[in-house]
Amino acid sequence: MENPNSGLNRTGQAFYPKLAFSLIGKNMKNVHILFLISVLLLSFSACRKETVEVDYIPTPYTLKIPSDFPAMAIPADNPMTVEGVQLGRRLYYDDLLSTNGRSCSSCHLQELGFSHPMAGPGGFGIMAHINIGWNTAFGWHGGESLLDHVPLADLAEGNAFLEANNDSIRVRFARNADYKTRFKQAFGVDIVALDVAQRQEYIAKALGQFIRTQISGNSRFDQFMRSDPNSNFSAAEFRGYQLFFTEKGDCFHCHPYPMMTDGNLYNNGLDGSHNGINIGQFNVTNDSNDIGKFRVPTLRNIGLSAPYMHDNRFATLEEVVGYYNAGVQHSATLAPIMTKPGGHLDLQLTPDEVADLVAFLHSLTDTSFTNNPELRSPF
């Protein structure tokens, strides 16, 4: 007997063959659609995991600070990490941040103590990146007090150095899986998803971490000070050392050991009157007491960083010492230390003493710094 409610006959064959075929076809189509949707969802999930889910477990980085150096103050919001330093090193040497093919390293050459002989924007000499993790004022005018803020000026659109374009930077990062991963590992951020200000902040922090590793403290003079028999300190260098650290040469007041700078700003008598780029810190403070004041640079690797002074006016160290010996000019804001006990402004050294002082300055060259492989380009 056939059961009219089952749709099947006794042999199991479809009682309504056309209807059964139609239902099976629709079910198979639904199965195919569900299968394709599942595959697409799995693929999306896999891609999302690959590009976003990167471990953020930064590794603490220990700075290699010479034993006679003070501790370096590290900002709480930018602790030193291996990942941050490595990222900053790549950014320092990469032209990705510019539209003109330049990078930080274009103006800071390791073989010249991370300085450059050319004049920078506005005609100012390019200050060397040496031990500036200890600085509390940056630039010739001392207009910035935080190292992690210094790179922000170069990242600003319209800046003459990098000629940065923030849309271009975002697009370049978006196309670079390595940088996206490195920012995630170093700071736990998606560098492409950030707004412009946030993106610049993390770029600057990474650069700041690498710049803090640019530590120079192993010159022959340092070896001499540590009683290292391998210092090979010459008789002329020793005489220059004695001049430098006594009132006779009168250098140590502004360039004390071990940093070889006190980090302050002074009018050192370069000009009797001031205008243009020679007006100094006044451009920052608008205080007439700051006219002619410029930051004291470190003398470490000074033999490599010619020309000298804020405007590159002296080509050699002999010219620099010659200026202090017989060229200082008086003005209202001249630093009191420039006036000698007898009331005169000049050192009044003999030619031999000038030569000895120059010889000492060359002993501050640190070849282990200029050849340090950890500071070279990673590319």
Side-chain angles (χ1 to χ4, degrees):
M1 293 288 296
E2 296 171 346
N3 183 351
N5 298 318
S6 68
L8 299 173
N9 58 22
R10 290 177 178 154
T11 62
Q13 295 175 329
F15 185 68
Y16 304 111
K18 291 184 179 181
L19 178 60
F21 179 81
S22 176
L23 290 173
I24 291 173
K26 289 182 178 180
N27 288 337
M28 289 301 294
K29 183 183 289 186
N30 291 338
V31 168
H32 283 128
I33 291 172
L34 289 173
F35 176 76
L36 289 173
I37 292 173
S38 299
V39 169
L40 289 172
L41 288 173
L42 287 171
S43 298
F44 175 78
S45 177
C47 291
R48 191 169 184 270
K49 181 177 182 181
E50 179 183 348
T51 58
V52 177
E53 294 184 12
V54 176
D55 290 337
Y56 174 51
I57 311 175
T59 309
Y61 182 95
T62 302
L63 287 166
K64 299 173 184 176
I65 298 176
S67 59
D68 43 2
F69 277 31
M72 185 188 297
I74 306 298
D77 66 344
N78 192 22
M80 298 291 293
T81 67
V82 172
E83 293 79 8
V85 170
Q86 291 175 345
L87 172 59
R89 180 183 177 190
R90 298 181 78 84
L91 292 170
Y92 192 89
Y93 284 96
D94 201 339
D95 63 4
L96 176 145
L97 299 178
S98 75
T99 61
N100 55 19
R102 291 177 183 164
S103 65
C104 300
S105 62
S106 297
C107 291
H108 298 281
L109 306 175
Q110 184 177 8
E111 64 270 23
L112 298 181
F114 291 100
S115 69
H116 200 291
M118 73 178 185
F124 288 95
I126 294 172
M127 301 194 80
H129 285 174
I130 301 172
N131 298 337
I132 65 174
W134 281 274
N135 288 2
T136 56
F138 299 89
W140 286 110
H141 294 156
E144 179 53 64
S145 60
L146 296 175
L147 173 55
D148 291 345
H149 289 177
V150 173
L152 295 177
D154 290 329
L155 293 171
E157 295 197 19
N159 182 277
F161 174 52
L162 293 178
E163 297 179 348
N165 179 286
N166 288 293
D167 287 336
S168 174
I169 291 173
R170 184 189 63 79
V171 170
R172 293 183 189 188
F173 280 143
R175 294 173 178 172
N176 193 310
D178 182 59
Y179 270 125
K180 288 189 288 185
T181 297
R182 288 180 182 275
F183 273 101
K184 187 70 173 180
Q185 291 172 332
F187 299 110
V189 299
D190 181 347
I191 193 63
V192 177
L194 300 177
D195 62 32
V196 170
Q198 291 172 324
R199 188 176 305 112
Q200 289 180 341
E201 175 189 354
Y202 285 107
I203 292 171
K205 282 184 174 181
L207 288 169
Q209 287 196 40
F210 174 65
I211 291 172
R212 289 185 177 93
T213 70
Q214 295 172 316
I215 297 173
S216 178
N218 192 37
S219 66
R220 284 186 300 106
F221 171 58
D222 292 300
Q223 295 165 11
F224 166 78
M225 291 294 284
R226 297 167 191 150
S227 302
D228 186 338
N230 297 317
S231 64
N232 297 317
F233 217 51
S234 71
E237 290 167 343
F238 183 73
R239 291 192 299 269
Y241 154 73
Q242 291 178 308
L243 287 167
F244 189 97
F245 286 100
T246 61
E247 299 297 337
K248 178 75 172 175
D250 199 27
C251 308
F252 69 98
H253 291 290
C254 297
H255 300 281
Y257 182 80
M259 307 316 297
M260 308 309 290
T261 175
D262 67 358
N264 291 322
L265 293 94
Y266 302 107
N267 174 355
N268 64 341
L270 285 169
D271 300 290
S273 60
H274 304 86
N275 52 66
I277 68 171
N278 298 323
I279 203 166
Q281 193 185 19
F282 176 81
N283 282 329
V284 175
T285 65
N286 204 35
D287 184 342
S288 60
N289 292 316
D290 294 330
I291 292 175
K293 291 183 179 180
F294 293 93
R295 191 164 66 80
V296 178
T298 182
L299 294 185
R300 289 188 171 278
N301 298 288
I302 194 68
L304 303 175
S305 58
Y308 304 104
M309 302 299 173
H310 68 277
D311 55 0
N312 285 352
R313 69 175 65 186
F314 298 131
T316 67
L317 286 175
E318 285 79 6
E319 290 182 23
V320 173
V321 177
Y323 153 71
Y324 283 113
N325 199 41
V328 176
Q329 300 184 57
H330 185 272
S331 64
T333 59
L334 181 68
I337 194 63
M338 299 304 297
T339 302
K340 310 311 173 194
H344 56 88
L345 302 179
D346 303 330
L347 294 177
Q348 302 179 353
L349 302 176
T350 68
D352 286 344
E353 288 173 327
V354 169
D356 289 342
L357 193 51
V358 170
F360 169 73
L361 292 174
H362 281 291
S363 79
L364 293 168
T365 298
D366 179 0
T367 55
S368 65
F369 175 68
T370 56
N371 294 313
N372 186 347
E374 295 181 5
L375 301 179
R376 292 177 190 159
S377 170
F379 300 109

